Amino acid sequence: MIEQTLVLIKPDGLKKSLTGNILTRLSETKLEIAAAKIVRVSRELAMEHYKYLSDKPFFNELIDYIQGKYHDRRKVMAMVYWGENAIEKVRGLAGATNPEEADATSIRGAFGRITTGGVYENVIHASANSGEAEREIKLWFQPDEIVFEMYPTKIIEAMTARRVWV
Ligand code: DAT
Ligand code: MG
């Protein structure tokens, strides 16, 4: 099945200079990159992204982590990968959620760690299923930032304030 999935290189992945390594591994899947950008993650975006975990004891640390507060890198790299079995292929490369349990050759197994404070610094995010992928892609990207029309869109007339170059 042709599908799309959200990939985030988390602040620890950026700080450890793993971007090239991760992109190389992902390119071996023959999936296509349909969108990519560097994002400064607001608390609001972080909390929305992980809202299904809001009752967990590690939630606050998770929000601080994805915002880059532990890595003095206040950014993540966000991408949409597209192609045959994209979700399963990227999840497989990423490895298990717990980096100590992840296969040693997976990205999380090779490069992740659990901090003494119990934070899973697992380097990469990958959507878990097609419903989550849709929710996450729509949260992180606007339609015009993605090169394919993945989900239905509509045109609205808007007169909103926006920042422009001077
Ligand atoms: P995944 O990222 O593999 O989809 P998830 O959606 O269940 O896993 O959790 C999101 C993130 O939350 C995960 O990447 C790391 C963190 N996390 C999950 N379970 C945790 C735990 N028991 N302790 C600390 N952090 C955890
Ligand atoms: Mg998940």
Side-chain angles (χ1 to χ4, degrees):
M1 197 189 1
I2 301 288
E3 41 188 29
Q4 47 274 346
T5 186
L6 180 80
V7 176
L8 303 176
I9 302 180
K10 296 180 179 181
D12 52 326
L14 296 178
K15 181 154 187 175
K16 291 174 175 171
S17 284
L18 293 172
T19 309
N21 182 301
I22 291 169
L23 294 181
T24 300
R25 287 175 178 230
L26 289 170
S27 72
E28 285 158 8
T29 63
K30 304 284 193 285
L31 296 170
E32 272 190 58
I33 301 175
K37 62 181 177 180
I38 302 289
V39 183
R40 182 163 289 246
V41 182
S42 66
R43 192 168 170 80
E44 192 183 19
L45 173 59
M47 289 176 71
E48 186 63 29
H49 178 74
Y50 283 129
K51 66 180 179 187
Y52 58 95
L53 297 171
S54 62
D55 58 349
K56 299 287 188 211
F58 56 83
F59 185 67
N60 274 329
E61 288 77 11
L62 179 62
I63 298 305
D64 285 348
Y65 161 50
I66 198 70
Q67 284 196 274
K69 292 186 180 172
Y70 302 138
H71 297 93
D72 59 58
R73 292 278 193 293
R74 298 288 175 109
K75 61 192 174 190
V76 304
M77 185 165 179
M79 294 169 289
V80 177
Y81 275 80
W82 177 90
E84 189 67 31
N85 289 331
I87 293 171
E88 191 188 309
K89 280 181 181 161
V90 180
R91 287 287 287 193
L93 279 179
T97 304
N98 180 336
E100 298 295 332
E101 290 174 359
D103 187 288
T105 61
S106 68
I107 294 167
R108 288 168 165 180
F111 304 116
R113 68 167 191 150
I114 303 178
T115 68
T116 49
V119 178
Y120 288 10
E121 292 186 354
N122 58 10
V123 182
I124 187 173
H125 168 83
S127 304
N129 55 57
S130 63
E132 277 291 277
E134 178 171 358
R135 184 184 78 81
E136 293 171 358
I137 290 168
K138 289 178 173 175
L139 176 64
W140 287 81
F141 287 91
Q142 295 302 314
D144 288 342
E145 294 178 308
I146 303 176
V147 293
F148 313 119
E149 173 121 352
M150 295 177 169
Y151 306 111
T153 58
K154 62 180 179 183
I155 306 286
I156 56 164
E157 298 286 342
M159 274 284 287
T160 51
R162 66 191 179 94
R163 190 190 302 271
V164 296
W165 304 115
V166 293

